[in-house]
Amino acid sequence: MKYVVTGGAGFIGSHIVGALVKHGQEVVVIDDFSTGKQENLNDLESKIKIVEGSIENLDLLQSLFKGVDFVLHQAALPSVPRSIKNPLRSNNVNITGTLNVLLAARDNGVKRLVYASSSSVYGNQEDHQYKVEDMNPCPLSPYALTKFAAEKYCQFFYEFYGLETVILRYFNVFGPRQDPNSEYSAVIPKFINAALQGEEVTVFGDGSQSRDFTYVENNVQANLLACKAPGEKVAGKVFNVACGATASLNELIRVIEKISGFSLKRQFFPPRVGDVKFSLADIRRAQENLGYEVGINFEEGLKRTVAWYKELLR
Ligand code: UD1
């Protein structure tokens, strides 16, 4: 089978590419290298085709999607704060870019498109601890709104044109290759890096906010399953991809300290604008319809991730 992975040089995309190559699939990566890195694909370069380009370029996508069976659409501009600083850029990449990917998939007869959405779509849900797919979305930031709008486009393309789309709502993904050095980096790579280098971390709020931190291999598994599951069970549908467990930032810091053997100095700042307070996924729909299971839990994932950053720093 022939796969296109958009954002295939990025943190999550490159892990998916690795798994596809291992399974003997033909893979084309499209990445504009704005946040993706060539080095993420270093071991795979000879086995795949890498195209430097943006999902904002519809003509390029139309030519690349010829003869393609599956599109795993990972390309996006992540980060809630980035989207607040520059909402138009997030809108262009995450919404218009996704619309381009859908159009090219539709026009080229792609069998199925899997879309990487985000738990941010839920926002804060009063009185609910577990986030369930049929809750009303409540985006709190431009980023969350772009992810929700793109989900709707995916559903429209199934409804109007019969293009099979599967929407995976990722919950705070972490693991090797996640960039710790950008101002928009996610909390886990930032905190691990700081622990290993004896630097201070910034905690926005009192650290009681919680996340369903998900090790990246679980997301890889969900993508592969989403390609295989019967269309009547998954097409046009949304699935949480997470561990179904939650940790506060204060707990995260304790576990990083335990695993790394270093203590973390911290400074507290006011909560970030657009920040979600609690995040915990109900993963039963993915378990029942995709056959998804949590392969690597939070603590085991953190052990592997800390080990990877330690190796990198050596
Ligand atoms: C959100 C989404 C996630 C998505 C990601 C993309 C939710 C619940 N999650 O992640 O699904 O993939 O956007 O960017 O909406 N923090 C600190 N100090 C730091 C950095 C972060 O205290 O130096 C805090 C943040 O304020 C937040 C938490 O750590 O409360 C997690 O932040 P981050 O890793 O950036 O991810 P989310 O914004 O939760």
Side-chain angles (χ1 to χ4, degrees):
M1 291 288 175
K2 187 170 176 184
Y3 290 74
V4 164
V5 182
T6 69
F11 154 55
I12 302 173
S14 64
H15 284 278
I16 294 173
V17 172
L20 290 171
V21 169
K22 217 187 246 172
H23 285 88
Q25 309 292 357
E26 185 182 348
V27 184
V28 178
V29 164
I30 170 162
D31 204 298
D32 68 356
F33 295 98
S34 58
T35 59
K37 294 192 191 102
Q38 194 78 37
E39 70 208 45
N40 288 342
L41 298 170
N42 268 352
D43 307 339
L44 303 165
E45 260 167 341
S46 59
K47 301 180 183 121
I48 59 177
K49 180 175 168 188
I50 303 173
V51 177
E52 181 166 358
S54 167
I55 55 169
E56 292 172 88
N57 183 345
L58 178 57
D59 291 340
L60 175 67
L61 297 175
Q62 291 286 16
S63 70
L64 279 182
F65 284 14
K66 290 199 169 52
V68 167
D69 298 294
F70 295 102
V71 173
L72 305 182
H73 177 33
Q74 312 299 311
L77 261 193
S79 169
V80 167
R82 188 204 318 258
S83 76
I84 292 171
K85 198 164 177 195
N86 192 345
L88 184 59
R89 182 94 195 96
S90 294
N91 193 93
N92 289 345
V93 176
N94 298 355
I95 302 181
T96 310
T98 298
L99 183 54
N100 287 336
V101 173
L102 285 161
L103 286 166
R106 179 199 67 181
D107 295 351
N108 286 282
V110 164
K111 290 194 178 76
R112 191 172 288 178
L113 179 146
V114 182
Y115 173 59
S117 186
S118 160
S119 63
S120 60
V121 165
Y122 290 110
N124 290 327
Q125 300 279 341
E126 290 294 323
D127 303 319
H128 290 288
Q129 274 287 50
Y130 281 92
K131 309 245 163 124
V132 187
E133 288 89 343
D134 49 21
M135 282 174 165
N136 279 335
C138 178
L140 299 177
S141 63
Y143 172 76
L145 184 62
T146 65
K147 285 283 158 178
F148 179 53
E151 281 189 359
K152 283 314 255 185
Y153 267 124
C154 289
Q155 291 178 321
F156 290 152
F157 269 64
Y158 178 56
E159 218 175 290
F160 303 152
Y161 313 116
L163 170 65
E164 289 194 353
T165 55
V166 184
I167 297 145
L168 302 179
R169 279 190 189 152
Y170 296 169
F171 281 65
N172 290 72
V173 191
F174 71 97
R177 302 189 199 135
Q178 199 170 16
D179 181 7
N181 294 320
S182 148
E183 64 175 303
Y184 300 122
S185 291
V187 70
I188 288 186
K190 266 191 178 172
F191 282 14
I192 292 177
N193 208 41
L196 298 180
Q197 307 209 69
E199 288 164 4
E200 194 171 73
V201 296
T202 301
V203 176
F204 297 113
D206 61 5
S208 67
Q209 68 265 48
S210 66
R211 296 291 185 266
D212 196 331
F213 292 111
T214 308
Y215 188 66
V216 64
E217 272 184 32
N218 298 307
N219 301 75
V220 171
Q221 182 211 139
N223 273 275
L224 301 185
L225 291 168
C227 295
K228 283 197 209 129
E232 63 276 12
K233 280 190 161 183
V234 300
K237 300 213 169 74
V238 176
F239 297 94
N240 289 339
V241 178
C243 291
T246 194
S248 70
L249 238 55
N250 292 325
E251 282 159 355
L252 170 70
I253 289 172
R254 274 197 295 278
V255 182
I256 290 177
E257 288 182 327
K258 189 177 90 183
I259 294 172
S260 69
F262 296 101
S263 64
L264 258 176
K265 286 169 271 164
R266 63 207 84 160
Q267 249 199 322
F268 289 87
F269 279 79
R272 250 171 24 185
V273 186
D275 215 30
V276 169
K277 185 76 184 155
F278 300 113
S279 186
L280 169 61
D282 182 326
I283 56 172
R284 282 174 298 178
R285 189 188 280 185
Q287 288 172 325
E288 283 157 21
N289 295 280
L290 295 175
Y292 168 79
E293 287 301 337
V294 179
I296 309 281
N297 67 21
F298 167 60
E299 193 153 341
E300 175 58 27
L302 261 188
K303 277 186 198 150
R304 295 184 185 198
T305 309
V306 169
W308 187 84
Y309 284 103
K310 268 190 177 161
E311 188 58 35
L312 190 70
L313 286 170
R314 273 212 290 135

